[in-house]
Amino acid sequence: MWWALAAGLPLLFLGVFFAWPVAALVAQGFFADDGGTRVLDLSGFGEVLSQPRTWRVVGQTLAQATVGTALAVLLGLPGAYVLYRCRFPGRTVARGLVTVPFVLPTVVVGVAFRALFAPGGTFGWLGVEESFAGVVIALVFFNYAVVVRTVGGLWERLDPRAEQAARSLGASPWRAFRTVTLPALGPAIASAAAVVFLFCATAFGVVLVLGGMRYGTIETEIWIRTTQFLDLRAAAVLSILQLVVVTGALLVSARLRARRERALHLSSDRSAAHRFSWRRASDAVPALATLVVVGLLVVTPLAGLVARSLRAPDGSWGLDNYVALGTTGGRNALSVTVWEATANSLRTAALAAVVAVVVGGLVALVVSRRPRSLGLRRAVGTLDAVFMLPLGVSAVTVGFGFLITLDRPLGFDVDLRTSGLLVPIAQAVVAIPLVVRTVLPVLRAIDPRLREVAATLGAAPGRVLRTVDGPLTARSLGLAIGFAFAVSLGEFGATSFLARPDTATLPVVIYRLIGQPGAENYGMALAASVVLAVLTATVMMVAERLRGDAGGGEF
């Protein structure tokens, strides 16, 4: 009964606050009004799929995702080696620094690169503002940590004796890596590539800020069709197209992730990391490559954002933009001040993190079990896949679906669309998959014999969870809380639909400031982006610090 309840509550939550809103919006593409009644009408598919703009957007989405994935994997491999295969002072801090871009709000990333590529910016001379290259660079910045952490987690635990044997037989370091280590890392590399492709294909805030109207994705096109043209049928058709792409990526990712977990079971339990030395070319070359990539790709955009935020509208240096955060901007561009929006974001993210950790923790607990029945094992695998869907389904689709379904949910006489709970619930839906992926590897790594021994000694199931699973997963749960809070803090897609002007969150306020004319508003957007970046980075650094070198955490 308790296991059925642990699985049923998350399924009910997902059904009401994800499947139902998404299905309601998608249904707009299949049905049309005919004299007050809804009739099946598939003409919307023909209209949308016959438009050249549709296929141009689909092509841009796939091209940006493919190129971004290839570059993220290529640049992330040296970082995975240095940060997970080598030991050196400050390694934990370096890992935290590399993780920061992944949890940065997409609006902040877009603003940072926009300031970098704009005329007068550090790389303004490249001429990549509002270009394909500019969007791809920002996507690589955002997903670099996914490759480093996913590949590094396996590389750290690879038994070094196979590579040492190859070296002793005369193989050069490069040949030993290419013929021994690289094939062993294959499942992790492929899994990371699948997840990065998924994130790149569904990117919203970064593409919206950097790509403009010319270099959009399916995600931004759904937003444009919905908000600017109120064309729900076209948005629904595009949502279905995106769902097909996402489902394919999730299936590939799940299959590759299973291969990676089997590889982890075959690897050494102890860390095979060695002390870093500049005298070894095998250490020095990846370290130099990592320093260049982190310096140009991670540090430079963030440093440029901070520097531009310190430039006043008149060109002088100072804190004028930060002082202006206590106002509503030029020409009263905002309904609330940036500090009030910050308070709104913190309250909303805290509530969303609680919901995400409770629901995601229950999912991870159920999915981590390995039932003997083949039918139950398939049900557990299906549950795992189902709760990954929010990673790839458009947050815009979820947000707008909320607006058309939650006026009287399940017949209750309450309009959730005006409730303050709607935004944290939407943010929790987005954060739940990350909670599951953070806690699940640790739960699966627990030796089942520990639970069996505790049960043999008379411990009830609840006590087994408290005394065996609880202590071993405590650190990964702390990291999951940090992820959920940071992701909720920067969520923009669904929140842009649901947040009222008087309760706007910080990402929504930043985007509104960018869209308003005037140097004062743009300076405030830069300063507010720095504030939001510092908040999310602090949360993740604390979570990473609490986790230490404990296992767990995958993307």
Side-chain angles (χ1 to χ4, degrees):
M1 181 185 69
W2 290 111
W3 285 112
L5 190 61
L9 285 177
L11 283 173
L12 178 62
F13 180 88
L14 188 74
V16 174
F17 296 112
F18 175 72
W20 182 23
V22 170
L25 183 59
V26 168
Q28 300 287 333
F30 290 93
F31 296 92
D33 286 324
D34 184 13
T37 60
R38 302 283 289 172
V39 296
L40 183 65
D41 182 5
L42 301 181
S43 61
F45 284 87
E47 293 175 5
V48 175
L49 297 181
S50 63
Q51 296 174 3
R53 177 183 175 87
T54 299
W55 294 109
R56 180 170 62 83
V57 169
V58 171
Q60 286 177 175
T61 300
L62 297 178
Q64 290 171 8
T66 301
V67 177
T69 300
L71 289 176
V73 170
L74 184 64
L75 299 177
L77 287 178
Y81 174 83
V82 172
L83 295 178
Y84 287 87
R85 196 70 172 181
C86 303
R87 294 194 306 269
F88 54 89
R91 184 174 69 162
T92 300
V93 175
R95 287 182 182 179
L97 176 65
V98 168
T99 305
V100 166
F102 178 74
V103 297
L104 279 180
T106 56
V107 173
V108 172
V109 175
V111 171
F113 277 93
R114 184 172 177 174
L116 199 67
F117 295 147
T122 306
F123 294 117
W125 53 274
L126 291 175
V128 294
E129 186 183 20
E130 292 194 3
S131 68
F132 179 87
V135 172
V136 168
I137 292 171
L139 292 176
V140 174
F141 166 91
F142 199 70
N143 292 286
Y144 176 74
V146 178
V147 178
V148 172
R149 290 181 67 94
T150 304
V151 178
L154 176 58
W155 208 337
E156 185 179 32
R157 297 176 62 185
L158 280 183
D159 193 329
R161 289 175 295 184
E163 186 173 338
Q164 291 169 358
R167 294 290 306 279
S168 66
L169 292 174
S172 64
W174 167 245
R175 186 176 182 182
F177 169 78
R178 182 169 50 84
T179 58
V180 178
T181 304
L182 193 59
L185 293 175
I189 295 173
S191 178
V195 175
V196 171
F197 182 88
L198 179 66
F199 288 151
C200 290
T202 57
F204 177 60
V206 169
V207 179
L208 191 64
V209 174
L210 285 178
M213 298 292 289
R214 293 178 55 197
Y215 295 96
T217 60
I218 299 176
E219 182 96 349
T220 58
E221 187 69 10
I222 293 171
W223 183 81
I224 291 170
R225 296 291 184 101
T226 305
T227 59
Q228 297 187 16
F229 300 107
L230 294 178
D231 189 355
L232 296 186
R233 296 188 68 193
V237 173
L238 290 171
S239 296
I240 294 171
L241 279 178
Q242 186 182 51
L243 193 59
V244 171
V245 174
V246 166
T247 301
L250 285 175
L251 290 175
V252 172
S253 176
R255 220 176 149 78
L256 295 173
R257 188 170 62 248
R259 290 178 56 192
R260 178 183 170 231
E261 288 172 352
R262 287 197 295 270
L264 277 172
H265 287 305
L266 293 173
S267 65
S268 174
D269 290 334
R270 63 181 178 84
S271 172
H274 60 269
R275 184 173 295 278
F276 175 83
S277 174
W278 284 106
R279 297 180 179 179
R280 282 195 294 267
S282 58
D283 287 353
V285 173
L288 288 174
T290 302
L291 286 173
V292 172
V293 171
V294 172
L296 292 177
L297 191 66
V298 178
V299 176
T300 301
L302 298 180
L305 176 65
V306 174
R308 290 290 295 268
S309 71
L310 295 173
R311 293 290 296 271
D314 60 3
S316 61
W317 294 92
L319 299 175
D320 296 20
N321 292 326
Y322 291 89
V323 173
L325 297 183
T327 70
T328 55
R331 299 180 182 178
N332 289 323
L334 305 173
S335 300
V336 295
T337 67
V338 171
W339 297 125
E340 290 171 339
T342 302
N344 292 336
S345 291
L346 291 172
R347 286 193 299 267
T348 303
L351 184 55
V354 171
V355 175
V357 169
V358 171
V359 176
L362 288 174
V363 174
L365 191 63
V366 173
V367 172
S368 66
R369 267 39 189 181
R370 297 181 177 86
R372 296 179 181 178
S373 167
L374 177 61
L376 286 178
R377 285 202 301 271
R378 288 177 176 173
V380 166
T382 302
L383 184 67
D384 186 14
V386 164
F387 273 88
M388 292 302 102
L389 282 176
L391 272 181
V393 175
S394 166
V396 173
T397 300
V398 176
F400 203 81
F402 274 22
L403 294 182
I404 63 177
T405 57
L406 298 183
D407 52 342
R408 291 174 59 87
L410 302 179
F412 291 105
D413 189 17
V414 58
D415 190 350
L416 279 181
R417 297 176 301 179
T418 60
S419 171
L421 294 175
L422 198 57
V423 173
I425 288 174
Q427 293 177 352
V429 169
V430 176
I432 285 172
L434 294 177
V435 173
V436 176
R437 293 266 68 83
T438 302
V439 178
L440 183 58
V442 178
L443 285 171
R444 281 181 171 167
I446 296 175
D447 192 335
R449 290 176 295 183
L450 295 176
R451 302 187 185 103
E452 294 169 1
V453 169
T456 302
L457 294 175
R463 188 173 182 184
V464 172
L465 289 176
R466 290 195 308 272
T467 58
V468 177
D469 295 70
L472 293 175
T473 58
R475 287 190 172 184
S476 67
L477 193 61
L479 184 62
I481 294 172
F483 264 128
F485 190 87
V487 169
S488 301
L489 198 63
E491 204 285 322
F492 175 63
T495 308
S496 63
F497 272 95
L498 304 174
R500 299 191 303 270
D502 58 333
T503 59
T505 60
L506 199 47
V508 174
V509 163
I510 291 171
Y511 185 72
R512 288 177 182 170
L513 287 170
I514 294 174
Q516 297 294 327
E520 179 183 356
N521 290 327
Y522 185 65
M524 286 179 61
L526 295 173
S529 298
V530 172
V531 171
L532 187 52
V534 170
L535 285 175
T536 52
T538 301
V539 169
M540 284 311 304
M541 293 292 279
V542 170
E544 189 77 17
R545 183 73 175 175
L546 291 175
R547 185 183 76 97
D549 289 327
E554 67 174 46
F555 294 93

